[in-house]
Amino acid sequence: MLDLSTVRIAFLGFGNMASAMADGWIRSGAVKPEQLGAASRRQDVLEARTKARGMKAFATCEEAARWADVVVVAVKPHLVEGVVKPIRGILKDRLVLSVAVGRLFDFYESILESGTRHLSTLPNTPVSINEGIVICEARHSMTLDDEAFVEQLFAKLGLAEFADEKMMSAAGTLAGCGPAFAAMFIEALADGAVKHGVPRAAAYSLASQMLAGTAKLQLETGAHPGAMKDAVCSPGGTTIIGVAALERKGFRSAVIDAIDAIETRSR
Ligand SMILES: NC(=O)C1=CN([C@@H]2O[C@H](COP(=O)(O)OP(=O)(O)OC[C@H]3O[C@@H](n4cnc5c(N)ncnc54)[C@H](OP(=O)(O)O)[C@@H]3O)[C@@H](O)[C@H]2O)C=CC1
Ligand SMILES: O=C(O)[C@@H]1CCC=N1
């Protein structure tokens, strides 16, 4: 069975998502940097990113896969087939974890050798500080031991949730794309406060703490978000003025439309 203290994990592609996962595992203390390796396209960029973390850099995906017990496929979705197919013989005896959006169980069954152990996931960037989400496809070809190992491994990054194929896309969009929307909200709140004299740095930390605190309150109490909004809106007070302004601009519709646009894009 794979063991957290000895497992070797190789990333194929080491950009934003892969480096966030590496940071999360290293930060958790559960995986040592030397247990992590990566291969990507530009060798100079890879060397800089891996050296900064004390990780191993490999010249090719083949070398990285040969070294590893677990291979994380972290290239753009349209590159997955070209990266994976040439090394499918090596991957046959590895645990393959994918983070590529839209690359689910059936796709990997069609490009990997029969019997390869694989799982498709959709993580998000807050995994780098162990506060992320990893949405995992319920359909996979892992053994029970792999499943127990993966649950341990992903628990170090935050919340790991299994979702069936029907839910995978929308849940992945909420969790995976959501940090960009949340960051835009933080930026916009800060811009509004800066406009009225709050220093930029203070505006960012106030906006982020407000969002983190509100999210934690919802998670801990399970309160309905509408009730949480009502609890802040004093009759004739200031908040309802802001709520009415947001409604005039279609705030909630804009957010729903953002998810909708992603889910109905042509693939
Ligand atoms: N960013 C996010 O928040 C999330 C991303 N994902 C998924 O993660 C995957 C990676 O996205 P992201 O990290 O944002 O993208 P990046 O562009 O930041 O990283 C892509 C990586 O792939 C490397 N690469 C490109 N071509 C090859 C190749 N032929 N062989 C090996 N490596 C190669 C790139 O190297 P180089 O830079 O040298 O070109 C780079 O290291 C995508 O499939 C995406 O769907 C999933 C959830 C969230
Ligand atoms: O924008 C993207 O395609 C990736 C997938 C989810 C978040 N980032």
Side-chain angles (χ1 to χ4, degrees):
M1 177 173 166
L2 294 167
D3 186 316
L4 269 185
S5 64
T6 54
V7 69
R8 292 172 169 194
I9 304 173
F11 295 94
L12 309 185
F14 198 61
N16 291 316
M17 195 59 245
S19 50
M21 294 173 83
D23 288 345
W25 281 323
I26 293 169
R27 190 177 188 270
S28 76
V31 179
K32 294 178 286 300
E34 55 270 27
Q35 290 174 253
L36 300 173
S40 74
R41 199 171 47 95
R42 289 168 301 164
Q43 202 60 23
D44 53 336
V45 175
L46 177 71
E47 293 282 353
R49 286 184 181 161
T50 49
K51 200 170 168 195
R53 295 172 169 88
M55 294 170 52
K56 293 182 192 308
F58 292 94
T60 63
C61 289
E62 179 178 339
E63 278 179 37
R66 278 196 197 286
W67 169 83
D69 307 302
V70 176
V71 172
V72 181
V73 182
V75 294
K76 296 284 183 201
H78 69 279
L79 297 175
V80 171
E81 186 167 348
V83 166
V84 164
K85 260 193 167 168
I87 57 168
R88 59 207 287 268
I90 302 164
L91 297 178
K92 172 98 176 70
D93 302 314
R94 306 289 185 269
L95 174 59
V96 179
L97 305 177
S98 169
V99 303
V101 70
R103 295 301 187 216
L104 300 184
F105 179 82
D106 286 332
F107 169 79
Y108 278 97
E109 282 289 292
S110 74
I111 63 165
L112 288 168
E113 282 194 18
S114 164
T116 306
R117 296 134 58 220
H118 63 94
L119 169 71
S120 292
T121 75
L122 211 289
N124 66 8
T125 47
V127 295
S128 67
I129 54 146
N130 319 108
E131 292 283 351
I133 302 177
V134 186
I135 307 283
C136 304
E137 187 176 11
R139 202 159 158 230
H140 59 72
S141 55
M142 297 188 295
T143 63
L144 285 176
D145 279 351
D146 291 334
E147 210 175 322
F149 169 77
V150 157
E151 277 175 16
Q152 258 188 321
L153 186 68
F154 287 158
K156 303 296 174 195
L157 300 181
L159 177 73
E161 286 279 340
F162 278 83
D164 63 27
E165 193 185 342
K166 281 203 303 290
M167 242 184 70
M168 200 57 204
S169 180
T173 292
L174 194 167
C177 306
F181 310 154
M184 287 169 76
F185 186 44
I186 291 167
E187 189 183 26
L189 285 167
D191 281 347
V194 167
K195 190 173 176 205
H196 290 274
V198 178
R200 176 61 65 180
Y204 285 146
S205 66
L206 290 173
S208 293
Q209 177 57 38
M210 179 281 296
L211 207 59
T214 309
K216 211 163 176 194
L217 181 65
Q218 200 286 324
L219 284 171
E220 285 193 14
T221 60
H224 188 291
M228 290 173 67
K229 182 261 293 169
D230 288 355
V232 184
C233 292
S234 311
T238 53
T239 314
I240 195 68
I241 297 170
V243 167
L246 285 172
E247 290 290 37
R248 278 196 298 278
K249 297 286 185 187
F251 179 63
R252 287 184 301 172
S253 298
V255 176
I256 294 167
D257 278 358
I259 305 272
D260 210 29
I262 294 169
E263 290 306 299
T264 56
R265 73 195 183 283
S266 55
R267 287 163 215 258

